[in-house]
Amino acid sequence: MGLELKRGHLQTMAKITLSIFIIFPMTSLSLATDTLGVTSSIRYGETLVSSNLTFELGFFTPRNSSTSYLGIWYKFSPNMVVWVANRNNPLADRDGVLTFNGVGNLVVLNRLNGVVWSSELSGVLRNPIAQLLDTGNFVLWDNTVSSSDKTYLWQSFDYPSDTLLAGMKLTLNRKTGFERRLIAWKSMDDPSPGDYVHELNYSQGLPQYEVVQVHVHSKKYRTGQWNGVQFVGCSIAPNSFRVSAFVYTETEISFMFEIQDRQLFSIMKLNYLGVVQLLVVNRSRSATWNAFLELPSDPCDFYGRCGANAICNDSLCECVKGFMPSSLDEWTVHNFSSGCKRTIPLNCSKGDGFWEIENVKLPDQLEVTLYRSMSLEECKDKCLKNCSCTAYATSDVRGQGIGCLMWFGDLIDMRVLEEVNRVQTLYVRQSASKLGIHAYAN
Ligand SMILES: *[C@@H]1O[C@H](CO)[C@@H](O)[C@H](O)[C@H]1NC(C)=O
């Protein structure tokens, strides 16, 4: 994918070098090609290969570049780099080495023995071992600890680059705040951290994933909220070869997927343009990766395309009932950015009601309150009593539905959904006089 990696014959040398370690071990541990022991190291052209021959770890040089990085890629598809260690600190040339330092940290050193990357463990490891696992996870543990306790002291899965591998969790530890996020490359040929980040937003309401353009503080895409079953509005639903799992507990929020067909490999990548791609390859057929899902996938997926209080439908925008375009001039030329405003102001004291919108991706949670165990009726009453509540919805669709999500202020980033299963209905506050037959006027 845009990388022309120059490794070639040096790989053979690497195997020979590693074989020498096996035949003449310099320490008591036996060294396999997926493992790096305390006295061994890897230079440009030498690699570790996972035992199932799927993943390879070593140095690479991006196309049009003289710098190099330590990374992990698919052995059968070397251009598909899935992890990069020294993203922030490239080697100026190919003169680098991956090794252990005096206290057992993994380090990448440049030609002057300067540290360009480190696993940054605080303790001292007496007998550190690093291994490239079949999952693509590069892990570090201390072999002096009793062998039954192979706790990973460091793992590459904790520091994702732009790629989520099958079996790898995008996770947030709610106790410690530790989070795994995807950070895009700067360009097709530059692994340094780019403009886009794919991360969980859990600050208010329900969890949702977002692609944010960091430097301009703007959202580009968001999944819908977690509704107890799925992220609404994003079709990362289970299908024949892939199962996804979402964990949402007091201590952890995480997302992962697994592949059921052993011939298939699949990854989720945040590319340098800020597009989330689900890529799949059939290893037995070719090394060509196909994007079978991209997010955003259509114009309505672009965050906030319709401005406030409007719904995107088939790439066009419609004001919610009771609202009209803020600027008709702009609206008629399909500039929807300034959104919609109320046709007549709400008059809370005279009694409002709600307009029901079905099959909608619920608005973004800019200002919301969540009541987890409230019924829909209680939710409606609570919203009615608070004059600044603009909309509400059931927060968890499992069973008969439970919970209440209430919005305050403008409603942003709604779209009509194709999916018809388990989507939520949004109840938007209206002045009583505006309500028609679908109304729930009090
Ligand atoms: C759309 O309208 C906004 C003002 O609301 C303006 O800033 C923007 O430039 C317009 N976009 C285009 C493409 O004309």
Side-chain angles (χ1 to χ4, degrees):
M1 297 250 318
L3 283 175
E4 184 194 310
L5 304 170
K6 302 173 181 99
R7 299 181 194 97
H9 69 279
L10 284 171
Q11 253 162 256
T12 325
M13 264 179 58
K15 294 222 185 69
I16 293 166
T17 314
L18 291 167
S19 311
I20 290 168
F21 281 120
I22 294 164
I23 299 164
F24 308 105
M26 299 178 71
T27 65
S28 56
L29 61 105
S30 81
L31 199 69
T33 50
D34 64 350
T35 306
L36 192 71
V38 66
T39 56
S40 48
S41 59
I42 287 182
R43 295 187 172 277
Y44 203 101
E46 303 172 341
T47 60
L48 298 182
V49 177
S50 65
S51 69
N52 63 359
L53 307 182
T54 301
F55 292 99
E56 189 164 27
L57 176 143
F59 290 96
F60 69 95
T61 298
R63 191 178 55 178
N64 303 328
S65 174
S66 55
T67 60
S68 54
Y69 299 86
L70 179 74
I72 298 172
W73 54 86
Y74 282 92
K75 187 162 174 53
F76 64 91
S77 178
N79 291 339
M80 187 55 88
V81 175
V82 297
W83 183 74
V84 182
N86 54 318
R87 296 183 79 175
N88 291 302
N89 215 356
L91 290 161
D93 48 36
R94 295 181 183 188
D95 204 347
V97 60
L98 170 68
T99 187
F100 288 101
N101 71 4
V103 293
N105 259 314
L106 274 172
V107 288
V108 173
L109 305 177
N110 64 17
R111 69 161 68 222
L112 302 169
N113 281 335
V115 178
V116 300
W117 176 84
S118 160
S119 53
E120 289 177 352
L121 288 174
S122 48
V124 175
L125 311 191
R126 293 188 197 291
N127 194 3
I129 296 188
Q131 186 178 14
L132 180 60
L133 303 181
D134 288 346
T135 52
N137 195 6
F138 187 43
V139 299
L140 172 63
W141 77 90
D142 193 346
N143 206 32
T144 45
V145 180
S146 71
S147 57
S148 60
D149 178 27
K150 212 160 108 176
T151 311
Y152 302 143
L153 301 171
W154 178 91
Q155 53 179 332
S156 61
F157 274 15
D158 275 340
Y159 304 93
S161 295
D162 65 344
T163 305
L164 187 71
L165 296 166
M168 173 179 173
K169 278 180 171 179
L170 258 196
T171 183
L172 169 81
N173 183 322
R174 298 177 83 181
K175 289 265 150 68
T176 63
F178 184 82
E179 186 179 2
R180 296 175 178 175
R181 328 182 288 165
L182 302 183
I183 303 173
W185 287 27
K186 194 159 231 154
S187 74
M188 205 184 273
D189 302 323
D190 183 354
S192 58
D195 236 7
Y196 296 98
V197 171
H198 181 263
E199 63 187 356
L200 185 75
N201 185 336
Y202 69 106
S203 53
Q204 295 207 69
L206 295 162
Q208 65 185 21
Y209 282 97
E210 297 178 347
V211 174
V212 177
Q213 193 172 6
V214 178
H215 299 109
V216 291
H217 303 286
S218 104
K219 289 184 200 182
K220 292 296 155 190
Y221 169 78
R222 68 174 182 112
T223 65
Q225 293 84 349
W226 180 253
N227 71 356
V229 180
Q230 65 180 98
F231 293 101
V232 178
C234 118
S235 35
I236 312 186
N239 63 26
S240 54
F241 69 88
R242 193 183 67 251
V243 285
S244 28
F246 184 73
V247 175
Y248 180 31
T249 66
E250 289 296 306
T251 52
E252 175 188 345
I253 303 177
S254 65
F255 169 79
M256 65 173 270
F257 65 92
E258 295 207 84
I259 302 300
Q260 292 176 312
D261 183 337
R262 291 189 162 271
Q263 287 305 315
L264 297 181
F265 292 97
S266 181
I267 58 174
M268 190 170 105
K269 214 178 211 347
L270 175 66
N271 77 11
Y272 73 101
L273 298 168
V275 177
V276 178
Q277 295 178 307
L278 278 157
L279 300 167
V280 68
V281 65
N282 188 333
R283 189 180 173 179
S284 62
R285 300 231 175 91
S286 75
T288 307
W289 294 81
N290 294 306
F292 69 86
L293 179 64
E294 294 197 339
L295 301 166
S297 64
D298 66 18
C300 286
D301 268 350
F302 286 91
Y303 183 81
R305 178 181 153 80
C306 291
N309 309 309
I311 301 174
C312 193
N313 186 8
D314 208 6
S315 85
L316 290 177
C317 300
E318 297 160 17
C319 292
V320 171
K321 185 184 164 67
F323 293 79
M324 62 185 187
S326 296
S327 161
L328 253 184
D329 288 347
E330 288 170 15
W331 203 265
T332 46
V333 294
H334 288 187
N335 179 350
F336 304 114
S337 61
S338 56
C340 305
K341 58 180 185 189
R342 286 201 185 271
T343 47
I344 51 168
L346 292 172
N347 187 343
C348 198
S349 62
K350 282 197 177 156
D352 295 327
F354 295 94
W355 176 257
E356 184 180 330
I357 308 170
E358 289 177 335
N359 256 24
V360 68
K361 179 179 181 179
L362 298 178
D364 195 8
Q365 308 173 109
L366 301 180
E367 222 183 306
V368 293
T369 307
L370 175 66
Y371 302 93
R372 286 178 193 284
S373 51
M374 205 177 258
S375 73
L376 193 60
E377 270 307 302
E378 292 167 325
C379 188
K380 177 186 167 189
D381 289 345
K382 184 122 188 139
C383 185
L384 263 185
K385 285 185 185 127
N386 184 336
C387 290
S388 50
C389 173
T390 47
Y392 70 91
T394 297
S395 58
D396 188 329
V397 300
R398 284 176 293 185
Q400 300 299 305
I402 186 92
C404 170
L405 192 55
M406 275 169 46
W407 281 260
F408 303 89
D410 283 337
L411 306 173
I412 308 279
D413 197 41
M414 292 177 279
R415 66 165 297 168
V416 171
L417 295 172
E418 313 287 310
E419 22 185 326
V420 285
N421 283 334
R422 290 166 160 165
V423 293
Q424 283 131 306
T425 298
L426 181 70
Y427 302 87
V428 181
R429 191 184 205 104
Q430 301 284 324
S431 61
S433 62
K434 272 282 157 194
L435 288 166
I437 48 165
H438 289 281
Y440 283 80
N442 261 23

